[in-house]
Amino acid sequence: MQRTSLLDNWTVTRLDAGDGLPVPVTLPHDAMLHTRRAATNPGISSQAFFEGGSYRYERTLEVPDSWGDRHVLLEFEGVMHDARVFLDGQLIAEHAYGYTPFHVCLDSLVMPGTTAHLVVECTNEDQPDSRWYSGAGIYRPVWLLEGPLTSLEPGCLSVTTLSTEPARIHVDVDAPHADGTFVRVDVLDGLRTIATFEGPGGAGPLSHDFDLPECLPWSAEDPNLYRCRASLVRRHGLTRTEVLDTEAATFGVRVVKWAAGDGLRINGRRLLLRGGCVHHDSGILGAATYDEAEWRRVRRLKEAGYNAIRSAHNPCSRAMLEACDALGMYVMDEAWDMWFEHKSAGDYASRWPLHHETDLDVMVRRDRNHPSVIMYSIGNEVSEPVREEGVGAAREMVAHLHAADPTRPVTCGINWSIITGSALGMRTYAEGGGRDFEADAKQRKMNSQLFNAYTNVFGRFMTLSANLPVADRVTAPVLDLLDVAGYNYASARYGIDTRKHPDRLIVGSETFHADIWHNWEQVKTLPNVVGDFVWSSWDYLGEAGSGAWAYTPDGKGFEKPFPWILADQGALDICGNACGQLYLEQVAWDVADGGRAHAADWQPIDPRIAVQPANHPGVTVSKSAWRWTNSLPSWAWAGCEGNRCVVEVFSRAPVVELVLNGRAVSRKRPKKGVASWKLRWEPGELVARALTSGGELIASSRLASAGPADVQLVAEPYAMPHDDALRPRIVHVDVTIADQHGRVEMNDDRHLVAHVENGELLGFGSARPRTEERYDTGEHTTYYGRAQAVVRVPVGGVATLVVREDNGNETTLDIPWA
């Protein structure tokens, strides 16, 4: 079917508060990001103190005369949540889950040659509706699909790899029966057709196997992609044909195999997952999902050394999957955070029993052709499996997914401490399967904050609690149902369970940054452990301050008060900048930038240097179990002369030497990939030298203090492959306080005001985890010398970003569309 974007000419009206006046918006749009933040908001730190609300989106649809004999659909990629769709005042569709797409048929509902009134209502008013920032509204794209009355429906085409050597695929087309028609399937490499098959007359469902000797396998290292196109064709006479409709899918020739003792294999080669968990928000853009932002994030993670992401804890966007396919990134495709027991007062648990099978079907139908998706996950840290009702639900879901897609394994992120605690009578979440949750006023305030607070106090002892005898007994019923057993914070069990449960394949579905060295050594040596997913690889909104190393009096404990806004847990912050946590992961994985494991001619990566902030003299930092270090890759701390600071050097070398301004400080042997020093800061140059045991130089890295610094604006390269599509482009701009050499000054933060001429400023902000500043006002203070602007550039135009300091100085940057 022909696809047309429906992003423009919408209005949104707040229904539960405000003046009730419609505001013009362009989709995607996160309504929650524009609400008032306050300490009294019931979403509390989970929702970064944003307000919940109810919203009405409206626009008109021009109905051409041709629609009289056409099949017309609306496709919503994501509406948060409980969407209700109206056309000319008539309710025509409802969709409860905020993370899955849905289609609405307009056939016979519109009159050709008229104008129709389209309304979408949604709500996240009942707060908190999630354990992290959910966003609200039509936050993912909307499309209009048009085709003949007899059409190939979206998702009707399925491509399955049968083998890679030789390349062989199986294609299914769920086509309608229609006299005088047939289905043709073409396999394309770029614009070149490399295989074709024509089905029998009368169309209808078609299946065919293709031998593709020219096709190369897909993997994260070599993401070779091809395209399969199904056409519904009408035959006129003996020689003339007419294509009525087409449906296409991008695919890769890729086979996943899994077995205990043999691990997880892609195209016959054992795969070790260097994974990171990611939430769905786009940083300073809120939950609004722009293709460019998703591609940028996947590209940054790939360059950082990750080869896998876990879409925590919901199906990710279409754009993210497309980026993972094209750039080479494996995906654990997760369905939900909860089942039928609430974790938060307004979450999905009450609707889950009615909709969860449909949710799984929608996820599989959308995602099955993506080679990046190698595993499905049916949930995260649910407590239901402590009872037979929960084990039965897991059994049914695993069987459901096996029937829908037998080519991928099924996992679930099981937190041993939560299930063990539930077995011992601890009320980690609400009891009673969500049935009495609303009636219990005290429990309405309860979500996973209590469990996380417990973990924040006891830290990595949670990992060791999995060794309790009762833990194995109460988790085994659900873990043994899974193709791959997901262990959340239970890496202490890897060696034990490889021996005790030799038929169990294990993945570290969620782990602490601090455990990466130990965990990765186990991944490399234990045949039943297939990988590790750190929490989190990319920082996110909500669970405010849960990972922060805080220097303010309100920074103690897990659930931090207003105005904390970010989790502050990521190896990369919300703007995509790295910290020392990433460097430890890279050294543990033993990968260079770009994510390729070292080959036979291995050389250690250059030692990485990071420095814990030097501008908090005499302040005791409050630490969190979810952050191992808050060090940053900079020696530019102007005004901090004499302040004590911690320098960390990350390396696999036998010995590391630290040199400050030409003076050798000392030599140390890194322990589990890191050596650290306490120094007094002084301007100049800091050098780390990786040495052999005999003292020979292997490699070195250096950091230097900054000279006089000014505001600098640098547009990042366009995140997506360039094409001929005439659509506005989204460009991320790095805003820094830096010297003439580009060295960012960490201790000269400035209040900035930004606006865009001949374009639109979509967001302006920083990675500051505790702030009352907003991302939608064009006004923000840098954080450790950095901020970010996101600009929409009109088709064929040149947008100009203008950033003004408080002293009146302005810096400008022209951003061309092309």
Side-chain angles (χ1 to χ4, degrees), residues 558-570:
F558 182 90
E559 188 176 354
K560 294 183 175 58
F562 182 82
W564 288 86
I565 185 171
L566 304 178
D568 199 22
Q569 297 186 12

Side-chain angles (χ1 to χ4, degrees), residues 321-356:
L321 290 182
E322 290 176 352
C324 290
D325 291 344
L327 300 175
M329 182 73 72
Y330 300 111
V331 177
M332 180 191 292
D333 202 0
E334 194 152 87
W336 318 275
D337 184 47
M338 80 298 295
W339 293 352
F340 51 79
E341 287 187 351
H342 284 278
K343 293 183 178 181
S344 302
D347 68 20
Y348 188 60
S350 297
R351 282 90 84 203
W352 186 90
L354 179 63
H355 298 294
H356 70 279

